[in-house]
Amino acid sequence: MHIDFSGKRVLVTGGTRGIGRGIVEAFLDAGARVAVNGASAASTAKAVAELAVGARVVAAPGSVANVAECRALVAAAVEGLGGLDVLVNNAGAGGGKPVEATDEAAWDRIIDTNLKGVFFVTQAALPALRAAKGNIVNIASVNGLIGVPKGSVYCASKAGVINLTRAHALEFAPDVRVNAVCPGGVDTDMLRALAARLAGTVEAGYKVIAADCAGQHRIAHVRELAGPVLYLASDIASFVTGSIHVVDGGETVD
Ligand SMILES: NC(=O)c1ccc[n+]([C@@H]2O[C@H](COP(=O)([O-])OP(=O)(O)OC[C@H]3O[C@@H](n4cnc5c(N)ncnc54)[C@H](O)[C@@H]3O)[C@@H](O)[C@H]2O)c1
């Protein structure tokens, strides 16, 4: 089924590469106008140029880990698009270490990007989303549902995103729906770095991660995450709010 987003205005944080980039491209294919956020002006401008769809893409640079930049990037998106129908809180930071090796800077980097960023981008976007009766899709992780060793800060940040989703769905109802997607292993820079840490090389690490994915025995392509995000953001999901969608190829079933 083709979902039509013609006339819709979408902001994707961390939309320059990886899962976010896949979501940006899927919304553009579906006819939307999209504000692309990257942490720096340079990374955002590069992605906008690569997408090469002219006025349908707006640059909204800024780090989600900084509250002033959250406000500035949302303002750029709302001004550039003339309002906002959909916010995808996708920007995230990985990098797990044992508890004994985790310092305050590592805690702050992960929590500020993954949890504080979702909260303050949402806060800044709320007036425009309420005006449009829009919706929010938060990208959490299966690691917010299950624990993994040497990843406790990341796990805590994503569990926080999951319950933020439920609380915001109630607080913003009935104007703004809020849902979350929990990806399993998806082929991106973040997972490649994890795979290399896990087993020495990306290839060896991917074998371990794929073996753990009992339902599919493989890693997902970024576009396989975009479909569920577009569904949740569309009118097809008009009665869906506060829900947590696991998109993990069966990884957490057993
Ligand atoms: N790849 C996976 O297997 C996987 C699994 C579960 C969840 N996730 C989540 O999916 C989301 C996307 O991850 P990915 O795998 O594409 O990672 P990635 O590292 O390939 O991309 C992350 C994106 O976030 C952006 N970003 C990072 N810090 C930022 C900041 N401070 N401000 C603005 N943008 C920032 C990056 O520029 C990039 O565009 C993240 O929230 C991640 O936690 C990924």
Side-chain angles (χ1 to χ4, degrees):
M1 183 193 295
H2 179 74
I3 306 176
D4 185 13
F5 278 92
S6 302
K8 296 293 185 190
R9 303 152 299 183
V10 180
L11 166 60
V12 182
T13 67
T16 56
R17 62 170 204 262
I19 294 172
R21 177 68 170 262
I23 294 168
V24 166
E25 291 175 2
F27 272 114
L28 288 171
D29 288 350
R33 294 176 59 227
V34 182
V36 178
N37 160 256
S40 72
S43 68
T44 308
K46 182 170 172 282
V48 168
E50 285 165 3
L51 289 162
V53 285
R56 282 211 292 132
V57 174
V58 166
S63 171
V64 301
N66 174 293
V67 178
E69 292 187 40
C70 289
R71 293 181 183 139
L73 76 89
V74 170
V78 171
E79 194 181 321
L81 298 171
L84 195 65
D85 298 288
V86 179
L87 165 63
V88 182
N89 279 311
N90 164 80
K97 283 187 178 166
V99 168
E100 295 89 334
T102 300
D103 59 14
E104 188 178 358
W107 169 274
D108 287 346
R109 185 180 65 83
I110 294 172
I111 297 293
D112 286 0
T113 308
N114 297 3
L115 188 54
K116 191 172 99 175
V118 172
F119 183 90
F120 283 102
V121 170
T122 296
Q123 183 190 65
L126 195 53
L129 289 169
R130 279 199 200 277
K133 298 233 178 302
N135 69 82
I136 299 170
V137 182
N138 293 325
I139 307 301
S141 170
V142 291
N143 290 347
L145 297 166
I146 58 169
V148 292
K150 302 177 190 167
S152 57
V153 183
Y154 184 81
C155 289
S157 75
K158 293 300 186 177
V161 171
I162 288 169
N163 225 22
L164 209 61
T165 300
R166 298 189 182 106
H168 285 177
L170 296 175
E171 187 168 332
F172 307 160
D175 293 343
V176 177
R177 296 185 297 109
V178 189
N179 293 290
V181 168
C182 295
V186 188
D187 181 27
T188 66
D189 291 350
M190 189 186 285
L191 195 70
R192 282 179 215 130
L194 174 70
R197 277 201 308 276
L198 201 67
T201 65
V202 174
E203 292 70 26
Y206 267 16
K207 277 194 186 134
V208 175
I209 295 165
D212 211 30
C213 179
Q216 290 280 308
H217 305 293
R218 67 179 177 86
I219 311 281
H221 186 271
V222 292
R223 286 298 283 257
E224 294 180 282
L225 269 297
V229 172
L230 264 67
Y231 153 71
L232 288 169
S234 77
D235 290 342
I236 297 172
S238 55
F239 202 58
V240 183
T241 194
S243 76
I244 311 304
H245 289 254
V246 177
V247 184
D248 71 344
E251 180 186 334
T252 54
V253 176
D254 59 351

